[in-house]
Amino acid sequence: MDELDIALFEFNQRRRGILIVSVLLVATVGLTIAVFPSFGEADVDFAELLESYPEEFQTAFVGSVSDLSSLDGYLVVELYQLVWLLIVGSYFAYAAGSLVAGEVDRNSAELVLVRPISRTRFVLGKFLAMLPAVIIVDLLVLAAVVVGAGLIDEELRLSRLLLVHAVGGLYLIDCVAIGLLASTVFKRVRRAQGAAIGVVFGTFLLDSLTTDTDYEFLGNLSLTRYIDPGELLVLGNVDWGGVAVLVAVACAVVVLAAEVFERRDLS
């Protein structure tokens, strides 16, 4: 048995959940895009409306978007800024919270580790199991957005859409890594999942509440500080420094999770 065997087995165990989440997200995309034509025809000055919101609200739910009359700006606010970064990110952190803690909670971890596989490779296999899930969800939502935009005769730049999904997928992998770390720290699944969601949700708020304050440096602890869907989808600008941080965080957190589990007493 190696890490790929563990990854394949774990992925097969989660296929139904991934399918349900994918269907729900595709339905969300469809509903969001279906509303856009009537939204765009509304006699409202959206730039003025956005400026009337509190700055913290703008940072959390609007991002860098200043115009909701275009489909790309609308999608950033209605789909990527909130649903993707907070809800989908929290889901993947939650799901990953049971990767190792679930085995410990069921007292099956020791039985698995009796086989010729190290704890580090066991953790790595668990992490790898979630990568196909991230890719499937990412690609299905991408396809749903492209098809939906075509159905309402709206044009989106595919290159920019690919950018937001590439960096957005990397963000979800970081959320998986956070869940994995929580899963190695806590022995109970509920505690691990609660901690994972707490980190994603808490750092999301931290980024929003500290922007343009004396404590803005604290926002650097949040993953959302390193991804801006508005810059990616509306302007096509990539923050390569932010991308590097997301890659480094994923690698570092997975290594830390493996180290924690290596030193863990399973009794």
Side-chain angles (χ1 to χ4, degrees):
M1 173 180 284
D2 59 19
E3 55 267 35
L4 294 181
D5 294 325
I6 293 174
L8 180 60
F9 177 80
E10 184 71 32
F11 175 74
N12 287 333
Q13 295 292 104
R14 294 173 178 268
R15 285 184 301 178
R16 186 169 180 271
I18 295 168
L19 176 62
I20 292 173
V21 170
S22 299
V23 170
L24 290 175
L25 284 174
V26 169
T28 300
V29 171
L31 180 61
T32 301
I33 292 180
V35 172
F36 176 72
S38 58
F39 185 87
E41 293 171 0
D43 186 18
V44 177
D45 186 341
F46 292 109
E48 183 178 344
L49 177 64
L50 292 178
E51 290 179 359
S52 68
Y53 291 150
E55 189 171 342
E56 295 81 4
F57 182 92
Q58 292 184 40
T59 302
F61 303 114
V62 179
S64 59
V65 173
S66 58
D67 181 16
L68 293 182
S69 62
S70 63
L71 181 59
D72 49 8
Y74 171 80
L75 286 175
V76 169
V77 175
E78 298 294 331
L79 182 64
Y80 295 108
Q81 191 69 31
L82 176 62
V83 175
W84 192 271
L85 295 185
L86 184 57
I87 299 176
V88 181
S90 294
Y91 164 75
F92 274 103
Y94 173 86
S98 64
L99 286 172
V100 177
E103 300 281 2
V104 177
D105 213 358
R106 294 189 300 268
N107 296 316
S108 59
E110 291 181 340
L111 296 177
V112 175
L113 294 173
V114 165
R115 302 181 182 186
I117 183 170
S118 68
R119 291 192 179 195
T120 295
R121 294 176 67 184
F122 175 76
V123 171
L124 180 59
K126 291 289 188 176
F127 173 72
L128 293 176
M130 295 299 294
L131 298 187
V134 170
I135 294 171
I136 289 170
V137 168
D138 202 3
L139 291 180
L140 285 178
V141 172
L142 170 64
V145 171
V146 172
V147 172
L151 289 176
I152 62 171
D153 294 324
E154 289 287 340
E155 185 178 349
L156 285 173
R157 296 191 182 184
L158 183 58
S159 59
R160 295 182 180 180
L161 193 60
L162 289 172
L163 281 178
V164 77
H165 278 270
V167 182
L170 182 55
Y171 169 82
L172 295 183
I173 291 173
D174 279 58
C175 292
V176 168
I178 289 172
L180 178 67
L181 177 59
S183 191
T184 61
V185 171
F186 297 95
K187 292 184 178 181
R188 300 298 181 189
V189 172
R190 288 185 179 180
R191 291 181 180 178
Q193 291 177 329
I197 290 180
V199 170
V200 173
F201 186 79
T203 55
F204 179 89
L205 291 180
L206 182 65
D207 180 26
S208 305
L209 297 176
T210 60
T211 299
D212 294 329
T213 69
D214 293 337
Y215 304 99
E216 186 170 7
F217 66 93
L218 293 175
N220 293 328
L221 298 173
S222 175
L223 293 176
T224 55
R225 181 62 60 90
Y226 306 102
I227 173 173
D228 187 339
E231 286 287 323
L232 292 165
L233 186 57
V234 178
L235 301 176
N237 296 332
V238 182
D239 177 9
W240 292 108
V243 171
V245 170
L246 292 177
V247 172
V249 167
C251 294
V253 174
V254 171
V255 170
L256 180 59
E259 184 63 24
V260 169
F261 192 60
E262 281 284 356
R263 300 173 182 271
R264 179 87 171 272
D265 181 8
L266 299 181
S267 61

